[in-house]
Amino acid sequence: MTSAEDEALRAKIRNKLYYGIQGYTKNLPDFVIPENLQRFSVRKGDEFFASLRTALTGEDEINVYLHVPFCKFECTFCNTRPNMPDAEAETQYFNRLMKEIQLYASEGAFEGRRTRSIYFGGGTPTMFSPEQIGELVDLLKTNAPLHDEATVSVEATPGSLAKDVIPRLRDAGVDRLSIGCQTFDLAVLKLCMRSHTPRQMEGIIRTAHDNGMRLNVDIMLGLAGQTLESLDADLEILEDLKPDAVEFIRHEIVNQKMVDVYDERPELLVSDDDLFAMTLKAHQWSEDNGYEQNGRFTHDQDFPYRYHWLKGMPLLAFGARTRSYVNALCYENQENLGLYGKMIDRGLPPLHQHQQLSHKEQMYRALFLGIQIRAGVDRAQFREKYGVDVTTALTDVVGGLRDLEAIEVDEDGVRLTRYGQYFYEDVCCYIMDTAKRADFSDHERTPFSYGTAWEAGPR
Ligand code: SF4
């Protein structure tokens, strides 16, 4: 491809894909049509578990997510609304998390299955002691033994890893850390209400490696005050630090604190053009340095939990505010800690809402997830599972993305092009948008986040 052709291709991706669907920005998107979720009735606990067992039939491996909704930080970019530290509430929540797992075990959710990956997310999971994390891992192992290549990952912030924590996490069975670093630019970190230094990260990486753990570093794109130059500086630091994996995440403005920052200093808002350029730069750097990213995963070593989720492995998520997917069954737990706790105490699954994906929704989701793996969607497997070819079943979305040169189709599969990989979030949003227009046009279409709506007028 000549450089002029490459430039034309990038312009198409920018103008038609990136700008075309900007009302639907969402980092790490998944396919769910919120309007289709039904409220869970507490009288239907048995019915729910029966449908879960049916959905799990034939599945011998599971992905497990455990949510810890407490955090002592108040980052302005946070999109998870964690609870502030409270020793009593944390202990109570820990006990209920254990009970929730036991409840699912007693209902046969783990029977005959092995755990492929466990991921502790938050909040800040290290608000639990490493020993508590170990108890949860042991409970899961008792019910669904770990696969030989299973991984146990814990999310953490650089400031939450006191010196002795990493060895204790290793003793608890943890073998992978996911560090929310976001940037090394001190001015940007200050606006985010965070602080850490490259030296601190260097120490964490060394300690993790000394303890036989792998580690990934998250870097955000589009934080308040971030520039292309500050991203360059971050990339240089990463080249020195050499973490095992790096994940770039586009910032979405969902936190009121961040909106307040922009209200006071609108000049800090990263322009859409700059965010496009940052995304391009980060992904090019990633490719040049041999790092895997969403959109082009080739193996499960660096992001095991995500990889297996994209491959469609059942995801059983425990804790408040979590969402699980088991084939066509999708369900969300209560967000409110009080309600979550009350339902567990009454022996009920702590659900808020749930949904059986329709045949069409399952096909959209299979495309949505499958193309985030480099090999893409296998057309023969898709035909076998859904009884129809993906290009016929989802003509609009496949045709549209092909016209944008975000995907390529051959007789074996459907996969992202290079720029499709870089802008996989926009591809996912395009699929979501097309699905809503084509099949659910009677629903009100709600943007995922403030996105560019903020620029039109905050609040
Ligand atoms: S550390 Fe994570 S969970 Fe806590 S406030 Fe920051 S972004 Fe949110």
Side-chain angles (χ1 to χ4, degrees):
M1 185 184 291
T2 65
S3 61
E5 285 167 340
D6 190 47
E7 180 51 43
L9 188 52
R10 253 186 288 163
K12 190 189 244 184
I13 292 282
R14 181 179 58 232
N15 300 337
K16 299 270 173 55
L17 180 68
Y18 174 78
Y19 276 108
I21 46 79
Q22 266 214 343
Y24 295 85
T25 53
K26 172 100 183 81
N27 62 37
L28 305 180
D30 197 349
F31 186 91
V32 68
I33 308 247
E35 297 90 335
N36 290 3
L37 287 160
Q38 295 166 357
R39 292 294 285 265
F40 172 68
S41 158
V42 292
R43 283 189 292 275
K44 296 199 170 168
D46 289 343
E47 211 173 285
F48 163 73
F49 279 120
S51 64
L52 177 63
R53 283 188 293 271
T54 304
L56 279 165
T57 304
E59 299 288 354
D60 52 13
E61 291 180 16
I62 51 170
N63 235 352
V64 175
Y65 175 85
L66 296 154
H67 191 64
V68 183
F70 297 96
C71 183
K72 64 180 178 184
F73 299 95
E74 292 184 75
C75 312
T76 47
F77 56 77
C78 184
N79 62 2
T80 61
R81 300 186 302 280
N83 299 74
M84 292 308 281
D86 174 338
E88 197 184 324
E90 286 163 38
T91 305
Q92 204 171 40
Y93 181 78
F94 169 79
N95 291 333
R96 283 167 170 161
L97 204 45
M98 294 283 282
K99 269 194 192 171
E100 188 188 358
I101 296 169
Q102 283 156 348
L103 174 65
Y104 276 70
S106 69
E107 293 289 346
F110 301 116
E111 226 165 84
R113 302 191 170 91
R114 288 189 302 169
T115 306
R116 196 68 169 80
S117 117
I118 301 175
Y119 190 97
F120 286 85
T124 300
T126 43
M127 294 297 289
F128 279 175
S129 69
E131 291 68 31
Q132 285 176 311
I133 288 176
E135 268 189 70
L136 286 160
V137 172
D138 287 346
L139 178 61
L140 283 164
K141 273 167 38 181
T142 310
N143 289 291
L146 294 187
H147 184 279
D148 292 345
E149 291 169 19
T151 50
V152 180
S153 310
V154 168
E155 269 179 9
T157 54
S160 69
L161 290 170
K163 216 169 178 197
D164 66 328
V165 171
I166 294 178
R168 284 165 61 204
L169 283 172
R170 178 210 51 207
D171 292 345
V174 175
D175 56 10
R176 189 178 158 277
L177 295 175
S178 175
I179 309 291
C181 197
Q182 324 311 0
T183 177
F184 295 102
D185 184 307
L186 291 178
V188 176
L189 281 173
K190 197 168 170 202
L191 286 163
C192 294
M193 295 175 68
R194 285 277 287 272
S195 64
H196 52 255
T197 61
R199 178 164 291 203
Q200 201 176 350
M201 267 314 298
E202 195 183 340
I204 290 170
I205 293 174
R206 198 175 40 242
T207 312
H209 286 168
D210 288 349
N211 282 278
M213 291 184 185
R214 289 180 69 78
L215 172 146
N216 82 276
V217 168
D218 289 349
I219 296 290
M220 289 189 103
L221 306 173
L223 289 169
Q226 207 175 20
T227 60
L228 282 158
E229 290 70 34
S230 72
L231 177 60
D232 275 334
D234 280 347
L235 298 179
E236 261 179 49
I237 292 170
L238 287 171
E239 280 171 31
D240 284 343
L241 291 176
K242 296 188 177 37
D244 302 299
V246 178
E247 176 168 29
F248 293 102
I249 300 170
R250 283 200 330 219
H251 174 229
E252 48 174 350
I253 308 166
V254 290
N255 190 318
Q256 185 59 45
K257 289 191 206 108
M258 189 53 95
V259 176
D260 291 342
V261 169
Y262 290 138
D263 268 348
E264 260 185 46
R265 298 184 60 191
E267 75 280 6
L268 294 174
L269 186 69
V270 172
S271 74
D272 290 333
D273 277 351
D274 276 356
L275 183 58
F276 182 86
M278 284 178 186
T279 308
L280 204 57
K281 184 184 278 279
H283 281 267
Q284 269 165 351
W285 177 89
S286 218
E287 258 189 337
D288 293 346
N289 287 274
Y291 284 116
E292 296 249 308
Q293 289 294 319
N294 256 329
R296 55 173 182 279
F297 288 136
T298 56
H299 56 72
D300 72 348
Q301 223 188 348
D302 294 334
F303 299 96
Y305 165 78
R306 189 88 49 73
Y307 182 85
H308 293 295
W309 168 58
L310 294 174
K311 295 283 274 184
M313 185 178 287
L315 164 63
L316 295 181
F318 297 96
R321 302 176 190 168
T322 54
R323 181 185 293 161
S324 302
Y325 275 105
V326 182
N327 292 310
L329 177 65
C330 164
Y331 56 93
E332 289 181 355
N333 274 1
Q334 294 287 352
E335 176 161 355
N336 177 290
L337 287 195
L339 273 175
Y340 167 79
K342 266 191 193 152
M343 291 176 79
I344 301 255
D345 292 348
R346 288 177 57 191
L348 288 165
L351 301 194
H352 168 49
Q353 47 192 5
H354 59 106
Q355 178 192 357
Q356 284 283 350
L357 299 183
S358 68
H359 186 67
K360 188 88 183 258
E361 285 172 323
Q362 288 178 61
M363 290 192 288
Y364 274 123
R365 186 166 187 264
L367 175 69
F368 188 98
L369 299 184
I371 53 167
Q372 294 180 60
I373 302 268
R374 178 165 288 189
V377 175
D378 184 308
R379 287 177 75 176
Q381 279 177 10
F382 189 99
R383 270 195 302 273
E384 195 180 319
K385 188 158 183 185
Y386 300 107
V388 58
D389 191 84
V390 59
T391 60
T392 315
L394 306 176
T395 315
D396 284 356
V397 75
V398 171
L401 286 169
R402 214 173 173 177
D403 289 347
L404 292 171
E405 298 184 64
I407 61 170
E408 56 196 15
V409 180
D410 62 25
E411 61 184 30
D412 297 326
V414 178
R415 61 193 76 81
L416 294 172
T417 58
R418 180 169 172 233
Y419 289 129
Q421 290 167 8
Y422 289 10
F423 293 90
Y424 76 93
E425 288 155 306
D426 303 299
V427 170
C428 288
C429 292
Y430 182 96
I431 296 174
M432 196 74 213
D433 196 20
T434 309
K436 284 193 152 203
R437 281 176 205 275
D439 297 302
F440 313 100
S441 55
D442 54 329
H443 292 310
E444 194 180 330
R445 293 161 57 244
T446 317
F448 286 126
S449 73
Y450 287 88
T452 48
W454 185 85
E455 289 170 88
R459 295 187 194 143

